[in-house]
Amino acid sequence: MGTAARLLANAARAWWGLPRAFPRRVRDGVAAAIAASERRHRGEIVFAVESRLPLLDVARGLTPRRRAAQLFAGLGVWETEHNSGVLIYVLLAERAIEIVVDRGAARRVPPAQWDAICAAAAAAFGRGEYEAGALAAIEAVGALLQTHFPAADGSRNPNELDDAPVLL
């Protein structure tokens, strides 16, 4: 998507869409799915949704990937005990989904697996299936984290980050 198309998308699309795409019922389901997933592994999942980016930021070249990286740092996703934090970022205006992972998860899971999760979620969101896309992405991320960071029986497994979706 070129700069002009991105500017138009962020000016005209989705400023009202966040409550419609992610109403309270869906947000509650996302939080419950994250909590259930995190009981099976030592990773931390954060799900953040933003309706649109400021036009000046888009004009200056802020991409969804860079915005996701900013949020990864700003939300403290990198501050987990096992370096296994994962941010799932959704930018509704541009219909973009990005996954940013901490260094521990990045060392163990190839980028193509994270990209496949993003592609599947983007396809669901493109069909207007926000709840199904979000829950499937959380399940897929959780499965990867369970494989590489399983919760050991009886070990300490604190919930380090809030499970509720972050709405921006």
Side-chain angles (χ1 to χ4, degrees):
M1 184 181 291
T3 302
R6 292 187 63 231
L7 285 166
L8 182 60
N10 281 282
R13 250 194 239 151
W15 60 268
W16 70 93
L18 194 120
R20 287 191 351 207
F22 291 94
R24 167 66 58 197
R25 176 187 61 75
V26 173
R27 295 191 315 262
D28 290 347
V30 165
I34 290 171
S37 175
E38 289 179 354
R39 285 191 288 276
R40 298 187 311 264
H41 55 75
R42 291 175 293 141
E44 290 291 322
I45 301 170
V46 174
F47 190 90
V49 183
E50 192 158 33
S51 59
R52 63 184 178 163
L53 295 176
L55 297 180
L56 187 55
D57 289 344
V58 175
R60 290 180 176 159
L62 182 65
T63 63
R65 183 70 184 172
R66 280 196 207 140
R67 178 62 175 149
Q70 288 175 348
L71 291 171
F72 182 82
L75 296 172
V77 182
W78 60 273
E79 295 186 83
T80 64
E81 181 180 351
H82 301 285
N83 300 317
S84 56
V86 176
L87 171 68
I88 303 170
Y89 171 70
V90 178
L91 177 57
L92 289 175
E94 296 186 36
R95 298 180 180 139
I97 295 94
E98 298 286 343
I99 293 179
V100 181
V101 300
D102 203 349
R103 60 193 174 275
R107 280 193 296 265
R108 296 180 186 194
V109 180
Q113 290 185 299
W114 303 117
D115 293 344
I117 295 169
C118 288
F125 292 170
R127 295 186 302 271
E129 299 169 358
Y130 294 99
E131 181 176 22
L135 296 177
I138 291 163
E139 181 63 31
V141 166
L144 288 174
L145 291 172
Q146 186 174 1
T147 297
H148 298 285
F149 298 92
D153 292 334
S155 71
R156 189 173 140 284
N157 188 16
N159 188 19
E160 299 175 76
L161 299 171
D162 193 0
D163 297 334
V166 177
L167 306 179
L168 303 160

